Amino acid sequence: MREQAAILDGTATAKTIRQEVAAEVKLLAASGARVPHLAAVLIGDDPASHTYVGMKQKACSWVGMQSSIHRLPATCSQDEAVKLVQSLNNNEEVTGILVQHPLPSHLHEPAILDCVSPNKDVDGISRSSLGGLINGEPAFASCTPAGIIELLDRYNIAIQGKRAVVIGRSIILGKPVAMMLLNRNATVNICHSRTADLAAEVSRADIVVAAVGRPELITGEMIKPGAVVVDAGYNRVEGRSKDVGDVEFESASERASWITPVPGGVGPMTIAMLLRNTLRAAQGRF
Ligand code: NAP
């Protein structure tokens, strides 16, 4: 039997990045420069959004950054949301802005995200920042995709010249991670719900990025022996005590050379990238 895949440990890697960010924040503070300040816009009562914003605030405090939450009711108008974002753009104390999504359905989310100044868009999902990624212009990288690339880099996993498959084409995850892999000279194939033969597409890939939201859709038998498997999925399954990814971990581990666990893989990297972007925003670096 093949050896089990080695683990791409997102928890440990994210901790290292947080320590690096904390050290730089300390230096900024010691030099009398502005300490990074992340302002989160929280609209409505979605419990998951409240939890995520709470986690991000806690992470900010861990690295010595300031943070604040700016709330609007679920019934707020587009105009009120836009005005709030604009006031944060104009607030010199605030160095990074995060609009927690999803927004209530009556709001036009892309238009609100687009109001965030590019130099404060630390979540990297405005159309301007995504356009920067495509055009190779300075822009903050969207956090989960950037976390995936960073995790590969920290384990010295080569991307250039590799055949990569990304399963999922969402604007926050599948498309930007595919573009980042392309920018790093991988040959990239993007799969989605209408892909004719998913197993065949996955089986050709040296790097598999699952970004679907379907529990254990990708099974070990689809994986090319020795491939690197990154599972961004996070799915709650009734009757299972633990959340599961989009990849069937046990069977995939028997074929892959490297694999991310769920939890403890991509998830922790997202917040680490948010902190790093917020630091860079305060430093005036894209
Ligand atoms: P999404 O917007 O729902 O997109 C899912 C994508 O998967 C779509 O492009 C869809 O194709 C594709 N898809 C659905 N069923 C498929 C199938 N049977 N075969 C192939 N492709 C299929 O989801 P998302 O926001 O990108 O999130 C994806 C997963 O990542 C979720 O589990 C989410 O929880 C997780 N996530 C994790 C983090 C994190 O770790 N920090 C951050 C964001 C998301 P179509 O385009 O054809 O519909």
Side-chain angles (χ1 to χ4, degrees):
M1 206 175 79
R2 248 192 87 83
E3 273 180 35
Q4 294 274 309
I7 296 293
L8 292 165
D9 187 340
T11 303
T13 307
K15 187 174 174 196
T16 303
I17 294 167
R18 284 206 313 267
Q19 285 165 342
E20 291 166 4
V21 170
E24 286 204 53
V25 171
K26 216 169 172 181
L27 283 178
L28 273 183
S31 71
R34 209 166 34 162
V35 169
H37 176 158
L38 177 68
V41 173
L42 186 52
I43 303 179
D45 316 307
D46 177 44
S49 291
H50 280 251
T51 304
Y52 289 138
V53 167
M55 285 163 67
K56 288 164 188 173
Q57 274 214 302
K58 214 165 143 190
C60 283
S61 133
W62 198 93
V63 296
M65 288 181 185
Q66 292 174 4
S67 66
S68 53
I69 303 184
H70 304 263
R71 293 184 172 83
L72 284 174
T75 52
C76 78
S77 67
Q78 182 84 11
D79 198 39
E80 285 171 305
V82 165
K83 283 201 170 114
L84 173 56
V85 171
Q86 285 168 342
S87 74
L88 295 170
N89 284 337
N90 295 330
N91 183 340
E92 286 189 4
E93 296 291 309
V94 169
T95 53
I97 301 170
L98 163 88
V99 178
Q100 184 63 44
H101 56 91
L103 297 181
S105 56
H106 69 282
L107 297 174
H108 188 240
E109 188 171 300
I112 293 170
L113 293 172
D114 286 350
C115 292
V116 178
S117 292
N119 62 347
K120 293 190 180 186
D121 182 24
V122 290
D123 210 19
I125 55 170
S126 68
R127 285 179 284 200
S128 159
S129 295
L130 290 168
L133 174 64
I134 291 170
N135 290 313
E137 286 160 3
F140 285 114
S142 148
C143 296
T144 305
I148 291 171
I149 302 295
E150 184 73 22
L151 192 55
L152 295 175
D153 283 347
R154 296 266 173 162
Y155 281 88
N156 294 317
I157 289 169
I159 298 175
Q160 177 156 311
K162 300 293 178 190
R163 226 182 245 268
V165 66
V166 176
I167 309 113
R169 56 175 167 182
S170 73
I171 196 69
I172 59 153
L173 183 47
K175 283 178 184 163
V177 79
M179 189 53 60
M180 288 176 195
L181 289 163
L182 180 65
N183 289 347
R184 294 285 298 272
N185 300 317
T187 300
V188 185
N189 184 7
I190 306 175
C191 296
H192 45 78
S193 65
R194 322 288 161 82
T195 295
D197 188 347
L198 182 64
E201 304 296 345
V202 173
S203 71
R204 284 191 279 273
D206 306 306
I207 299 173
V208 177
V209 178
V212 194
R214 299 277 179 280
E216 299 176 333
L217 175 74
I218 310 300
T219 57
E221 62 196 12
M222 298 180 187
I223 305 288
K224 178 175 163 181
V228 175
V229 177
V230 178
D231 187 356
Y234 206 82
N235 310 291
R236 194 140 290 174
V237 180
E238 236 183 87
R240 301 268 293 261
S241 57
K242 213 171 131 238
D243 292 330
V244 298
D246 293 340
V247 176
E248 196 180 71
F249 183 82
E250 293 304 331
S251 62
S253 301
E254 287 176 11
R255 303 266 284 210
S257 56
W258 292 93
I259 192 166
T260 57
V262 176
V266 173
M269 293 299 291
T270 300
I271 293 189
M273 291 299 100
L274 178 69
L275 294 173
R276 199 170 71 179
N277 280 350
T278 306
L279 169 70
R280 289 181 178 172
Q283 292 169 325
R285 292 161 60 205
F286 274 103

